[in-house]
Amino acid sequence: QSSALQRNPTSSSFATILRLATGSSIQSNHDRVDAASEIESEAPLRTPTTREAGAPPIGDHAAMSKWNKDDLETYNINLQLKTLAESCAKHRNVTAAREALQLLRNMAQPDTVAYNSVLKALAKISPCVLTTTTTSTSANSGMTSACDVAEMLFQEMQNRHELQVRAHKEWYKHLAAGSLTDEQMEEGPPRVRVKSNVRSYSTVMDALGRAGDVAQAQRAEGLLQRLQREYDATGDGALEPNLISY
């Protein structure tokens, strides 16, 4: 009864409800990620184009004007990350990998494409050692192998996904309880931007495999088994193991 919609409905309130009813559910967010993953699964270690990631064509100012500031930042940084990852693949460029990792750390709203691009950069320079901040807290800086950083980033993806899903569900609980403000209604539910897929798993396994160490090989095998278990449990096409994974 205390909701802004019940007290004083506005055109923006009704527009938000219509937008929610026509496809901004959590499943639709996952579907968009899954659609991109199906494209990637044909060549899991290829950096997806910005078009595949759902971005408007370069120069399409009308489409880009509809994006908010964070969306535009993510789009532009993803272009840079793609270039850096390609440099790592072609030239084993450790400096480019370090720069890609720093760009990811500075992003306001990193997404799956951003994480996967940095994972690729790390995989292509493995088993090189990085002297940089390896996690989101500067206290964990130091000498760390590229494959170890890739594993930590992968776990960070998992954690971020869980937090985003939780926030998304909480928004709908508040919607049902009628406790959202006009501003919250206008903004809509928090987006689920990060979700690991078969490419994420395969790229980390690639990083571990390049280390040339039995212990890392066993960790890579464990990741493959984990990927298979998750796919069996969820039936999520974005997690289906493929030839590259094996």
Side-chain angles (χ1 to χ4, degrees), residues 103-215:
L103 276 175
L104 179 67
R105 290 289 168 242
N106 293 336
M107 291 180 74
Q109 296 291 350
D111 60 5
T112 300
V113 173
Y115 272 98
N116 281 350
S117 292
V118 178
L119 287 176
K120 175 181 178 178
L122 293 169
K124 296 308 180 184
I125 66 164
S126 182
C128 293
V129 172
L130 294 175
T131 307
T132 185
T133 300
T134 57
T135 69
S136 55
T137 57
S138 59
N140 291 304
S141 60
M143 303 287 288
T144 311
S145 68
C147 63
D148 287 339
V149 178
E151 279 191 294
M152 285 185 278
L153 274 188
F154 179 76
Q155 186 57 52
E156 184 179 300
M157 285 185 76
Q158 305 280 311
N159 296 339
R160 189 180 288 267
H161 174 71
E162 291 177 5
L163 289 174
Q164 291 177 350
V165 169
R166 190 177 307 138
H168 189 99
K169 291 179 177 179
E170 283 296 318
W171 190 94
Y172 278 98
K173 287 182 181 179
H174 289 299
L175 175 66
S179 57
L180 293 175
T181 65
D182 277 338
E183 182 179 0
Q184 290 171 323
M185 290 288 292
E186 182 64 28
E187 290 178 354
R191 291 164 58 183
V192 180
R193 297 173 180 267
V194 178
K195 180 178 182 290
S196 58
N197 52 32
V198 64
R199 183 172 182 267
S200 312
Y201 276 90
S202 298
T203 309
V204 177
M205 286 188 279
D206 184 33
L208 290 167
R210 290 169 183 264
D213 181 84
V214 173

Side-chain angles (χ1 to χ4, degrees), residues 222-240:
L223 267 183
L224 177 60
Q225 294 170 348
R226 176 177 167 183
L227 173 62
Q228 186 65 60
R229 286 195 302 270
E230 288 199 31
Y231 173 67
D232 291 342
T234 64
D236 186 348
L239 294 171
E240 183 176 9

Side-chain angles (χ1 to χ4, degrees), residues 2-169:
S2 62
S3 74
L5 180 59
Q6 291 170 328
R7 291 196 315 268
N8 186 21
T10 64
S11 59
S12 63
S13 300
F14 283 109
T16 301
I17 293 296
L18 288 172
R19 186 173 71 248
L20 295 173
T22 55
S24 64
S25 68
I26 189 170
Q27 185 59 45
S28 67
N29 280 306
H30 287 183
D31 289 345
R32 284 193 290 273
V33 175
D34 293 348
S37 301
E38 289 176 4
I39 296 173
E40 296 167 356
S41 64
E42 297 179 3
L45 298 183
R46 176 178 62 82
T47 302
T49 65
T50 54
R51 187 62 175 169
E52 293 171 354
I58 296 175
D60 188 348
H61 300 294
M64 293 183 71
S65 66
K66 298 178 182 178
W67 287 17
N68 62 35
K69 180 180 178 181
D70 288 341
D71 289 328
L72 287 172
E73 181 202 50
T74 299
Y75 169 70
N76 289 325
I77 293 180
N78 276 340
L79 292 177
Q80 298 176 58
L81 290 175
K82 178 179 184 293
T83 300
L84 291 169
E86 289 174 347
S87 178
C88 292
K90 293 177 181 178
H91 309 295
R92 204 179 179 82
N93 189 337
V94 177
T95 300
R98 187 180 298 113
E99 184 177 346
L101 189 59
Q102 189 59 48
L103 276 175
L104 179 67
R105 290 289 168 242
N106 293 336
M107 291 180 74
Q109 296 291 350
D111 60 5
T112 300
V113 173
Y115 272 98
N116 281 350
S117 292
V118 178
L119 287 176
K120 175 181 178 178
L122 293 169
K124 296 308 180 184
I125 66 164
S126 182
C128 293
V129 172
L130 294 175
T131 307
T132 185
T133 300
T134 57
T135 69
S136 55
T137 57
S138 59
N140 291 304
S141 60
M143 303 287 288
T144 311
S145 68
C147 63
D148 287 339
V149 178
E151 279 191 294
M152 285 185 278
L153 274 188
F154 179 76
Q155 186 57 52
E156 184 179 300
M157 285 185 76
Q158 305 280 311
N159 296 339
R160 189 180 288 267
H161 174 71
E162 291 177 5
L163 289 174
Q164 291 177 350
V165 169
R166 190 177 307 138
H168 189 99
K169 291 179 177 179

